[in-house]
């Protein structure tokens, strides 16, 4: 289970980087990657700090379950947004 | 080796050396702070200051790399890492450590978006997946190696010299960064209009949202799985083994994933599928008992 978690999360990390790089031109790639970096830190920070009180009050099942729900909802929203880009990896734009 | 491959390799090397040096501080700062009388709350403040500044500054500094070029931000980030590591041994108060370690977050924020952008700028057509896979391998490999080196250095030489060792590592990365030629980014004139387009781009928001939600699940696992394992009766060594397996699987998957993305020319299914699968696997970590330390 842990191996599977590592494989899917590692693969997703690469895919997100490629998707973001292909979604913009070179002229704006820095700000897009800055947003990616911000998302990583905010996600880690919220996961670390906000779920402590939840686990303390309601136990691991609720805390981990809620974390899973947030992750799944984020993936669902992204999937809906991504449907507008059927061929999301294209030759990286340099304009 | 082509020019683009060389540049990707150079960015990966810089990323590995810089982050290994910067991450040496990870386990040392809390221990050093506590050794000088800082409370657990104070340690939380110090680490939070680092993460908050790294997160908040990433977008403006990423934009700065679009306007001023990648190179200046890359080398500035490494310089900030070296200087802040060098200043950590001379402060002992919680506030002082929070200020210095917070500023160290600026170094990360200056470096990371520029390095990731540079990989995208340099990647050959139909090879972006492998380029980002190698970058991520270097980045996360360094995150694994750095704390180990930091702990080892502190055991051999003490905290202060270990911070100096971190500064030396970052300074080496800085010198390498100065020596490696990096193409300039786009001209500033186009940046304002392009920034507006970025904010209106649903694909960009999709990537940001799935990254934030995916890392939230990782934050839960990294922080609370050790407590869950402890509550289930796992020994510290067993918990460490779980994280070792997780780290190896996470790192080993990246290059094959990059190859697959290049072959299929799709990334969204792997991003969405990976994050949703990771979220579903989080549920299997579940047990119902409350953490022992919280249940009294």
């Amino acid at each position: 289970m842990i191996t599977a978690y590592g494989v899917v999360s590692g693969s997703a990390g690469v895919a997100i980087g490629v998707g973001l790089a292909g979604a913009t031109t070179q002229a704006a790639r820095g700000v897009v990657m800055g947003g990616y970096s911000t998302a990583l830190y905010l996600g880690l920070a919220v996961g670390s700090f906000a779920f402590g009180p939840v686990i303390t009050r309601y136990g691991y099942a609720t805390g981990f379950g809620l974390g899973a729900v947030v992750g799944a909802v984020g993936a669902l929203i992204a999937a809906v947004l991504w449907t507008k880009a059927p061929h999301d990896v294209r030759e990286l734009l340099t304009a | 080796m082509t020019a683009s491959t060389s540049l990707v390799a150079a960015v990966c090397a810089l990323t590995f050396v810089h982050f290994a040096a910067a991450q040496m501080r990870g386990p040392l700062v809390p221990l050093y702070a506590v050794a000088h009388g800082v409370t657990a709350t104070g340690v939380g403040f110090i680490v939070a200051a680092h993460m908050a500044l790294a997160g908040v500054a990433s977008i403006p500094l990423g934009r700065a790399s679009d306007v001023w070029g990648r190179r200046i931000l890359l080398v500035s980030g490494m310089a900030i890492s070296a200087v802040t590591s060098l200043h950590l041994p001379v402060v002992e108060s919680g506030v002082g450590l929070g200020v210095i370690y917070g500023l160290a977050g600026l170094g990360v924020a200056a470096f990371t978006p520029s390095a990731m952008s540079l990989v995208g700028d340099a990647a050959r057509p139909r090879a972006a997946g492998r380029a980002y896979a190698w970058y991520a391998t270097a980045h996360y490999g360094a995150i694994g190696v750095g704390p180990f080196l930091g702990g080892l250095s502190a055991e051999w030489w003490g905290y202060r010299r270990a911070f100096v060792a971190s500064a030396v590592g970052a300074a080496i990365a800085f010198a390498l960064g100065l020596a490696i030629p990096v193409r300039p980014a786009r001209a500033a004139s186009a940046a304002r209009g392009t920034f507006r387009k970025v904010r209106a781009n649903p694909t960009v928001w999709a990537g940001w949202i799935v990254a934030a939600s995916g890392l939230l699940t990782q934050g839960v696992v990294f922080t609370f799985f050790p407590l869950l394992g402890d509550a289930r009766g796992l020994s510290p060594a067993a918990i460490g083994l779980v994280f070792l397996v997780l780290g190896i699987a996470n790192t080993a998957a990246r290059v094959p994933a990059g190859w697959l993305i290049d072959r299929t020319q799709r990334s969204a299914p792997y991003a969405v599928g990976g994050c949703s699968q990771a979220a579903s696997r989080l549920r299997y970590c579940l047990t119902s008992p409350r953490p022992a330390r919280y249940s009294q």
Side-chain angles (χ1 to χ4, degrees):
Chain A
M1 194 281 295
I2 286 294
T3 303
Y5 180 85
V7 167
V8 294
S9 58
S11 303
V14 175
I16 294 167
V18 176
L20 285 173
T24 186
T25 62
Q26 187 175 345
R29 195 163 285 141
V31 73
V32 169
M33 291 304 178
Y36 181 28
S37 181
T38 297
L40 298 181
Y41 277 101
L42 284 182
L44 270 179
V46 171
S48 300
F49 298 126
F51 279 70
V54 175
I55 288 173
T56 303
R57 190 170 174 87
Y58 300 108
Y60 286 118
T62 305
F64 277 53
L66 191 59
V69 167
V70 173
V73 167
L76 184 65
I77 293 170
V80 170
L81 291 170
W82 253 316
T83 53
K84 297 178 179 179
H87 301 291
D88 52 279
V89 176
R90 53 186 175 270
E91 189 170 321
L92 295 183
L93 301 173
T94 55
Chain B
M1 189 181 274
T2 64
S4 81
T5 310
S6 301
L7 187 52
V8 171
V11 174
C12 290
L14 283 181
T15 299
F16 184 82
V17 177
H18 175 229
F19 274 104
Q23 292 293 327
M24 284 176 71
R25 303 174 297 205
L28 303 185
V29 168
L31 294 170
Y32 178 79
V34 168
H36 289 91
V38 177
T39 62
T41 305
V43 170
F45 160 76
I46 293 165
V47 175
H50 179 78
M51 292 178 72
L53 264 168
V56 168
S58 285
I59 290 180
L61 292 179
R63 175 148 159 70
S65 82
D66 290 333
V67 176
W68 298 332
R70 315 287 188 223
R71 183 193 190 89
I72 183 70
L73 273 296
L74 271 182
V75 295
S76 298
M78 294 184 284
I80 291 169
S81 291
V83 170
T84 50
S85 285
L86 213 50
H87 278 77
L88 283 170
V90 299
V91 291
E92 296 181 352
S93 70
V95 173
L97 287 168
V99 169
I100 301 295
Y101 203 44
L103 289 173
L106 284 181
V108 173
F111 184 91
T112 307
S114 298
M116 287 196 290
S117 302
L118 206 47
V119 171
D121 298 346
R124 286 184 293 111
R126 306 181 74 86
R130 279 161 287 171
Y132 274 101
W134 283 114
Y135 169 79
T137 301
H139 189 168
Y140 287 91
I143 288 175
V145 168
F148 172 71
L149 291 177
L152 212 58
S153 303
E155 196 160 312
W156 286 343
W157 304 318
Y159 294 127
R160 287 193 161 90
R161 287 181 181 174
F163 286 133
V164 173
S166 163
V168 169
I172 290 170
F174 172 76
L176 288 173
L178 288 179
I180 293 170
V182 174
R183 286 176 305 181
R186 296 296 86 197
S189 58
R192 186 182 298 266
T194 315
F195 186 51
R196 267 201 297 272
K197 285 182 187 169
V198 166
R199 285 187 301 176
N201 187 335
T203 310
V204 171
W205 281 104
W208 288 350
I209 289 168
V210 78
S213 57
L215 262 290
L216 183 142
T217 64
Q218 283 203 16
V220 173
V221 170
F222 290 163
T223 307
F224 300 108
F225 185 81
L227 302 181
L228 175 63
D230 184 50
R232 281 177 160 184
L234 292 181
S235 67
I239 293 168
L241 182 64
V242 167
F243 275 90
L244 178 67
V245 169
L246 176 61
I248 290 172
N250 186 292
T251 304
R254 288 174 187 269
V255 173
W259 177 84
L260 195 61
I261 290 165
D262 288 338
R263 286 284 290 186
T264 59
Q265 288 295 290
R266 299 297 303 269
S267 68
Y270 307 111
V272 171
C275 286
S276 58
Q277 283 297 308
S280 72
R281 269 151 183 76
L282 191 63
R283 292 195 71 247
Y284 292 108
C285 294
L286 300 179
T287 52
S288 52
R290 285 186 173 198
R293 70 183 62 187
Y294 295 144
S295 61
Q296 65 271 21

